[in-house]
Amino acid sequence: MKNNKNNKKELVLVTGGAGFIGSHIVDALIKDEYKVRVLDNLAPPAHNGSLPNWFNKKAEFIKGDVRNKKDWQKALKNVDYVFHIAGYMDFHTDYSNYIDTNVRSAALKFEVINELSIPVKKVIVSSSQGLYGEGKYLCKKHGIVYPSVRSEKQLKNNDWSVYCNKCGSEMKSQKELESDDVVPVNLYGSSKKSLEDTALMLGQSLGIPTVALRYTIVHGPRQSFRNFYSGALRQFVQMALAGEPIKMHEDGLQTRDFVHYKDLVSAHIKVLKNKKADYQVFNIGSGRADKVLKLAKIVAKECNVSFRNELGLYRIGTARHSVADISKLKKLGWKPTHSLEDNVRDYISWIKYYPDAKKYFHKSLKEMKKTGVIKTSKK
């Protein structure tokens, strides 16, 4: 139990605390006997305007927007710690919303803390592996290279490899370190880089310990079934449950780092309590390089259907490989404990209670094709 000097429970504000990751952090904090306040606008596509049935009734709820200064003023009153989880993600064309939600909100938070002299003890912000862009590769001739995003012409011709910018040779992917160059290839990644820069700079300037956590791909219950713009697991499960072939991007051999929500949550609690995390950036992932094809086969097995797949789709601005080096966070005593099978099994056991997910999936797929987010390669 966490109490202050007056024997009162410490108060934690969780923005986006009604959503997937935020709500699990809320549960963990309440279990650890913190007082919790949530600021969430309950906006689509993650929500439908109402509090979800999983929201922890022991938490205080404020319906508000992180883009609104007055909402920050209300939400930050008497707060000891802040988990800034609210964010805007995926591949949308309302570009300014990425800046307003992911960057401006971070500045507003510190602005209010400073203006009202709120003695916040620590701020933890949600970042993403998306800021690594195409990632880090090893060229036999030129060593470490940070390649440009693969062109549409290349992907259209079913060429999925990553080549050296200097000599054109095919390269081998390397795990991503916090100290690596960050070269975002889409506005979501760029906004997360700006979020980190803003939060860490203002935290240092105001003397407020601040931590940025770069998530890999998180799996688990409560992951919004109203939004399929990202998240292969959500798409694959809906296809399998509907008896459809699993449609994978590229050739299915691209690698990803899939992390279980419980491992992600435990990392948040670890950096909250450990002063060695202050003013640092940490990757949070499994540290495993799992092929998307492997994920699809596990989904088919757990859904008890035969594995059938279709290839030929691709998306511009998506890395071929992206796997985090998690050694920095492990040095603080944290480590992931869940398998990819755990990820799939836990999500399927939850989504079965939401049959409406199927209609949202097909709606999102249609929108992505219409707007050119997803494209078809040559046969």
Side-chain angles (χ1 to χ4, degrees), residues 234-370:
R234 286 176 283 177
Q235 296 183 26
F236 292 173
V237 167
Q238 289 307 313
M239 293 171 187
L241 291 177
E244 302 174 5
I246 295 178
K247 299 180 178 67
M248 289 180 287
H249 293 179
E250 302 187 15
D251 57 1
L253 300 181
Q254 62 271 42
T255 55
R256 293 291 183 269
D257 188 326
F258 301 113
V259 64
H260 193 275
Y261 78 99
K262 288 184 178 178
D263 291 329
L264 185 88
V265 170
S266 68
H268 284 74
I269 303 303
K270 176 64 69 174
V271 300
L272 172 67
K273 298 181 178 182
N274 196 322
K275 291 185 177 181
K276 292 181 180 179
D278 295 355
Y279 306 109
Q280 301 290 317
V281 176
F282 295 94
N283 290 330
I284 305 181
S286 67
R288 298 186 307 263
D290 287 317
K291 291 183 174 62
V292 172
L293 178 61
K294 177 182 178 182
L295 174 66
K297 288 181 176 179
I298 293 174
V299 166
K301 180 180 179 181
E302 293 297 330
C303 289
N304 198 29
V305 298
S306 59
F307 175 66
R308 295 187 299 140
N309 70 302
E310 289 183 5
L311 301 173
L313 298 176
Y314 67 90
R315 189 163 59 183
I316 301 296
T318 299
R320 173 62 173 172
H321 303 291
S322 186
V323 180
D325 185 311
I326 56 174
S327 57
K328 183 178 179 181
L329 188 53
K330 288 174 75 174
K331 289 178 181 177
L332 295 186
W334 170 87
K335 66 177 182 179
T337 60
H338 293 80
S339 67
L340 184 56
E341 286 78 6
D342 292 332
N343 294 16
V344 175
R345 195 175 299 118
D346 288 350
Y347 180 74
I348 291 174
S349 64
W350 175 79
I351 197 64
K352 286 181 177 179
Y353 292 98
Y354 295 89
D356 283 352
K358 182 179 178 180
K359 71 177 183 182
Y360 287 104
F361 162 65
H362 287 293
K363 178 182 178 181
S364 293
L365 192 62
K366 184 178 179 179
E367 289 176 355
M368 285 188 282
K369 289 182 177 180
K370 182 179 179 180

Side-chain angles (χ1 to χ4, degrees), residues 4-36:
N4 60 24
K5 293 180 180 179
N6 296 320
N7 204 35
K8 292 183 179 179
K9 287 184 179 181
E10 293 179 304
L11 176 61
V12 185
L13 172 65
V14 182
T15 70
F20 166 40
I21 294 170
S23 67
H24 286 298
I25 291 173
V26 168
D27 290 345
L29 289 167
I30 289 175
K31 184 178 180 180
D32 215 10
E33 299 192 36
Y34 288 92
K35 288 178 62 178
V36 179

Side-chain angles (χ1 to χ4, degrees), residues 68-91:
N68 188 316
K69 188 173 182 177
K70 289 183 178 180
D71 290 339
W72 274 115
Q73 291 169 338
K74 183 179 180 180
L76 283 166
K77 186 177 181 180
N78 299 321
V79 161
D80 294 291
Y81 303 100
V82 180
F83 281 98
H84 191 10
I85 310 302
Y88 194 60
M89 61 183 298
D90 297 322
F91 292 75

Side-chain angles (χ1 to χ4, degrees), residues 134 137 147-151 154-155 157-164 168-172 250-251 319-321:
E134 193 65 65
Y137 283 76
S148 304
V149 63
R150 294 171 296 163
S151 69
Q154 175 186 339
L155 299 178
N157 288 306
N158 297 296
D159 182 358
W160 316 121
S161 298
V162 178
Y163 301 100
C164 179
S169 62
E170 188 172 348
M171 301 187 294
K172 184 177 181 180
E250 302 187 15
D251 57 1
R320 173 62 173 172
H321 303 291

